[in-house]
Amino acid sequence: MSKWTEALAAKGIDCKSWKRKGFERVPADVWEDLLYEINKAELEYTDNYRAYRWKDGLHIGAYKKATNNGCCGEAQWWTKSRSGDIWRIGCNYGH
C-alpha cells in the first residue's frame, strides 16, 4: 500500500470501495490520483468528482454532466492508471 493510500485510509477513504454514481468503472488508483491532486492543490469544498478514460471515452457523458452541474472553480488533470490507460480527472471546488 502506498503512503498516499495509507493517508487516505487514515482519513476513512478507501478508494477500492469509493464508487461514484455514473463512474462505477473508474479504477481505485484513478480516484486516488484525483484525491492526491486535490490535496496537492489545497482545494477546499470539492465536489462533482469525475473521470473518463481517454482511449474510448468511458464515462465521458457522466463527466460532462458533472462538469456542467458544478459551480465555482473547476480543476482538471490527466493521469495514467496502473493498467496504462490515460484518464481525465476533475472536480469543482470553492463556494
Side-chain angles (χ1 to χ4, degrees), residues 1 4 7 24 30 36 39 45 50 52 59 71 77 89 91:
M1 187 180 307
W4 177 243
E24 291 82 5
V30 171
Y36 173 81
N39 187 58
Y45 310 110
R50 51 192 177 266
Y52 77 87
H59 298 309
C71 69
W77 302 271
I89 54 177
C91 68

Side-chain angles (χ1 to χ4, degrees), residues 23-94:
F23 301 99
E24 291 82 5
R25 294 177 53 200
V26 176
D29 61 298
V30 171
W31 290 132
E32 288 175 3
D33 289 348
L34 174 60
L35 294 175
Y36 173 81
E37 294 294 346
I38 290 168
N39 187 58
K40 186 170 92 176
E42 298 180 358
L43 302 180
E44 293 183 322
Y45 310 110
T46 58
D47 60 9
N48 294 319
Y49 304 113
R50 51 192 177 266
Y52 77 87
R53 191 169 53 203
W54 177 252
K55 72 178 180 182
D56 59 4
L58 176 67
H59 298 309
I60 195 166
Y63 188 97
K64 289 178 180 180
K65 184 177 179 181
T67 301
N68 293 335
N69 288 339
C71 69
C72 302
E74 179 183 335
Q76 298 185 93
W77 302 271
W78 292 100
T79 192
K80 189 175 188 178
S81 67
R82 288 187 191 118
S83 64
D85 291 321
I86 303 297
W87 289 80
R88 183 67 157 173
I89 54 177
C91 68
N92 290 87
Y93 64 93

